[in-house]
Amino acid sequence: MPILNQYYRAELNLPDGRSQQIPAAQALQLQGPLVEVLVTPPAVVLEALQKRGDQLPELVKGHALIDTGASVTCIDMEIARQLQLAEVGTATMQSATHADVPTPVYHFALVIQGVGLRFETARGMGATLGAQGIVALIGRDALSTCLLVYNGATGSISLAL
Amino acid sequence: MFELEEKTYQRLRPTLPPGKFALIRGEDLVGLYDTQEAALSAGTERFGLTALFIRKVGDEVMVVTAPALSLGILRAHPQPVLPG
């Protein structure tokens, strides 16, 4: 069973220009449960490209935020365009403060680097995430097959598939 | 991005069998498939790496909840306070 154990660290920039390491618990609180991922087209697309003898697309590396508040996994739409992901539906965000704007739904996979954890979502929502410095939100659809431990006291998370 | 395909889908929709996955390119229905994976595979084998437009016939718009995203507070955090 692949398990990711991740401890967080961060530095605070002081007014005098120096930087100071902050405690792991605070680093996790500030950054949130971020994990390094590769975003890829789904396996069937990669297999079909191999069959054609085509070059595989360059995968996109970045950070994904585990968000237990998100019902589905979301991907940055710019990256979806870059990877030429198929649009397989439309979604709207349930929100009291925002008008319902239809958003594309994509089929893609996220690979958590280093541990071989792979999530494939057949219906992930497109979102504007680039400004947040992340490429994806890992939502409850991906987490539905996982054990997630958020250890705020030690500033670490464990994720097992 | 897929305005033409969306129009084509809406035009053809009443004639398509519910539950099947329709792969549409421009004004053409490329094929109907039993699964989304089959549609992706067939589309990629035929057209290569290109964004495909696939719809499950009769599927509703998916409603998503993601409060932090919809409120724009994904990475909101106060200035950290160092201990001591």
Side-chain angles (χ1 to χ4, degrees):
Chain A
M1 178 199 296
I3 301 176
L4 171 75
N5 289 307
Q6 183 150 325
Y7 287 83
Y8 291 82
R9 42 186 300 178
E11 287 187 342
L12 177 67
N13 294 321
L14 300 173
D16 62 8
R18 289 179 303 127
S19 60
Q20 185 174 342
Q21 188 90 19
I22 62 174
Q26 209 171 359
L28 174 56
Q29 185 213 333
L30 290 170
Q31 296 174 356
L34 288 175
V35 291
E36 267 195 14
V37 294
L38 284 173
V39 188
T40 91
V44 288
V45 168
L46 298 177
E47 285 162 17
L49 289 172
Q50 278 176 331
K51 261 190 204 172
R52 284 171 55 97
D54 289 357
Q55 198 176 354
L56 298 182
E58 198 167 319
L59 308 184
V60 176
K61 188 178 170 182
H63 286 101
L65 180 69
I66 298 172
D67 182 1
T68 58
S71 58
V72 300
T73 296
C74 302
I75 183 176
D76 184 61
M77 287 194 284
E78 207 47 56
I79 289 166
R81 282 187 206 107
Q82 192 180 326
L83 288 172
Q84 300 278 322
L85 297 179
E87 191 186 304
V88 296
T90 51
T92 58
M93 184 93 76
Q94 196 174 55
S95 163
T97 55
H98 286 65
D100 283 352
V101 179
T103 308
V105 172
Y106 299 104
H107 189 150
F108 60 94
L110 295 177
V111 181
I112 297 184
Q113 292 201 287
V115 287
L117 280 169
R118 187 177 190 281
F119 302 110
E120 186 154 326
T121 175
R123 295 182 68 75
M125 193 181 79
T128 304
L129 299 172
Q132 315 283 339
I134 56 178
V135 296
L137 284 181
I138 297 176
R140 297 195 300 271
D141 56 341
L143 296 174
S144 66
T145 56
C146 294
L147 172 68
L148 170 66
V149 178
Y150 180 101
N151 191 335
T154 61
S156 67
I157 65 157
S158 298
L159 184 65
L161 189 63
Chain B
M1 181 175 173
F2 286 111
E3 288 85 3
L4 181 56
E5 283 82 359
E6 185 64 49
K7 275 184 192 166
T8 305
Y9 175 62
Q10 293 305 333
R11 176 172 54 81
L12 296 174
R13 193 174 173 173
T15 67
L16 300 175
K20 293 277 187 182
F21 290 82
L23 170 59
I24 291 168
R25 194 163 175 85
E27 294 183 329
D28 301 323
L29 174 66
V30 176
L32 289 166
Y33 306 88
D34 291 333
T35 65
Q36 187 167 293
E37 285 76 9
L40 280 169
S41 184
T44 307
E45 279 182 32
R46 181 158 170 190
F47 303 111
L49 184 65
T50 183
L52 300 168
F53 181 93
I54 296 168
R55 288 290 183 273
K56 185 176 184 183
V57 181
D59 212 12
E60 300 296 325
V61 171
M62 183 169 77
V63 178
V64 173
T65 57
L69 178 62
S70 60
L71 293 171
I73 54 169
L74 269 181
R75 309 293 302 282
H77 52 71
Q79 179 69 17
V81 179
L82 286 168

